[in-house]
Amino acid sequence: LFGSSGSGKSTHSLKLAGALKEQGTSVEYVPEYAKYLVYSCHNRMLLDQFKIFSEQRHSIDILRDHDIDYAIVDSPLPLGILYGEKYGTMNKSLSSVIIEEFNTFDNVNFFVTRTVSFNQVGRVESRDESDSDSYLLKELLNKHNINYVDITTHTSTDEILNYIKGN
């Protein structure tokens, strides 16, 4: 799931993983590595998008060797491009690698737009920054021809599941 900070990615991810498991689907939730850095007060490490990409990619890649139908990823790899560009730490080769690696997966992408109050807990961005990032993220996805389905914080889990099962 794509979306800016506080849009509801984690909430949707956890609900989807739970619902799919209840249906007997083999699914795993892949948490956002960057959030661990925030909670452990390693905010400077957020500038190292190569490290974040490597850790997030490793967490996803572990599942490839197992019989997993779906990996619900709270922080898709291209989010690193957004934050790398935002903080001036992204270079063209890393951006290319991120997109190339992202495209090795059979992705079903959703873009979550926040429709609730912004909650600052576990985030370094302000509400205004999050709103701006949402716009920039959509531009990034379009630039790299990454298809997505628009949803909101209030989109029901059943609606998302129906889309997933239909594809």
Side-chain angles (χ1 to χ4, degrees):
L1 287 99
F2 287 98
S4 62
S5 182
S7 63
K9 294 183 307 291
S10 298
T11 302
H12 274 308
S13 294
L14 292 166
K15 285 180 179 180
L16 281 170
L20 286 165
K21 280 188 181 281
E22 286 177 354
Q23 294 177 0
T25 305
S26 176
V27 61
E28 293 297 333
Y29 167 72
V30 181
E32 180 181 9
Y33 178 74
K35 195 172 273 189
Y36 290 126
L37 296 176
V38 172
Y39 279 124
S40 60
C41 300
H42 288 101
N43 291 1
R44 288 198 93 232
M45 288 182 67
L46 292 170
L47 298 176
D48 187 351
Q49 287 304 317
F50 180 75
K51 168 75 171 164
I52 293 170
F53 161 73
S54 299
E55 294 290 343
Q56 195 72 28
R57 175 69 170 88
H58 178 69
S59 296
I60 299 166
D61 205 35
I62 289 171
L63 302 177
R64 260 203 175 148
D65 297 331
H66 300 281
D67 193 20
I68 305 295
D69 296 321
Y70 295 101
I72 308 293
V73 181
D74 194 345
S75 181
L77 300 176
L79 275 178
I81 299 171
L82 171 75
Y83 291 111
E85 289 177 351
K86 178 178 175 176
Y87 297 115
T89 58
M90 181 56 55
N91 64 56
K92 202 174 228 178
S93 16
L94 179 56
S95 178
S96 295
V97 168
I98 289 172
I99 294 299
E100 184 178 312
E101 288 298 310
F102 177 74
N103 287 331
T104 66
F105 297 98
D106 184 17
N107 298 301
V108 178
N109 303 306
F110 295 92
F111 189 97
V112 186
T113 299
R114 181 174 26 84
T115 54
V116 296
S117 298
F118 183 77
N119 183 346
Q120 188 69 51
V121 176
R123 296 170 178 78
V124 294
E125 295 85 14
S126 68
R127 182 184 63 90
D128 289 343
E129 287 175 302
S130 175
D131 291 345
S132 175
D133 289 348
S134 185
Y135 174 79
L136 295 172
L137 181 55
K138 275 198 172 185
E139 282 188 338
L140 176 88
L141 297 177
N142 293 330
K143 173 183 170 184
H144 291 285
N145 298 311
I146 297 173
N147 296 322
Y148 57 88
V149 175
D150 280 304
I151 62 174
T152 71
T153 311
H154 290 101
T155 302
S156 76
T157 302
D158 285 339
E159 287 178 74
I160 300 168
L161 286 173
N162 288 336
Y163 183 86
I164 292 171
K165 295 293 184 170
N167 281 324

